[in-house]
Amino acid sequence: MVRILLAEDDSSMREYLQRALQRVGYEVEAVGCGTEAVPLLAPGKFDLLLTDIVMPEMDGIELAQKASAIDPAIRVMFITGFAAVALQAGKTAPEAKLLSKPFHLKDLVAEVDRLFQSEDQHGRL
């Protein structure tokens, strides 16, 4: 089962995404900010970091950098309404998918599915 660490500061969005991803078969652990996510990271514990970019305390790009340093195999997907602004702020994000808000839940699920189906075809899962 694919394990996802979800970092989203909007509680209603976080709960909605967590429930929706669990309904389609993903194991999801959800936190409200990057500083809550970092202690949970360990090599091999999560397959995907799904994170908002704009969050208090630690933004999603910094979280993704820390996650990639801890576990180079973790995949990263950003979900944000501020993608262009955040990504142009001079920070370097690890290789990641980007899904801009607003998005349909089916689009999120399709992107996560696609990410791991392509890895299945290459024998990496």
Side-chain angles (χ1 to χ4, degrees):
M1 178 181 290
V2 172
R3 296 155 308 186
I4 299 172
L5 177 56
L6 170 63
E8 167 62 65
D9 60 318
D10 180 299
S11 61
S12 59
M13 175 68 89
R14 181 174 62 248
E15 292 168 14
Y16 175 70
L17 294 175
Q18 182 177 20
R19 279 194 314 268
L21 289 166
Q22 287 172 333
R23 258 186 305 217
V24 296
Y26 293 111
E27 183 179 314
V28 182
E29 188 158 345
V31 296
C33 65
T35 54
E36 290 177 25
V38 172
L40 300 176
L41 292 166
K45 185 173 180 184
F46 294 101
D47 303 297
L48 175 65
L49 170 63
L50 181 59
T51 182
D52 193 358
I53 291 179
V54 179
M55 295 186 293
E57 298 177 32
M58 176 187 296
D59 66 35
I61 294 173
E62 185 179 352
L63 173 58
Q65 290 168 332
K66 288 183 184 295
S68 294
I70 292 167
D71 183 1
I74 197 168
R75 300 292 180 250
V76 177
M77 183 181 296
F78 293 116
I79 49 171
T80 188
F82 302 97
V85 173
L87 291 175
Q88 291 174 359
K91 294 185 176 183
T92 303
E95 185 177 325
K97 289 288 289 173
L98 179 66
L99 197 58
S100 295
K101 293 177 186 174
F103 55 82
H104 290 286
L105 185 59
K106 65 181 169 111
D107 295 331
L108 172 65
V109 171
E111 286 298 323
V112 173
D113 285 346
R114 193 173 301 123
L115 187 66
F116 289 101
Q117 285 172 356
S118 66
E119 287 190 7
D120 275 340
Q121 293 169 0
H122 294 93
R124 286 186 238 155
L125 252 183

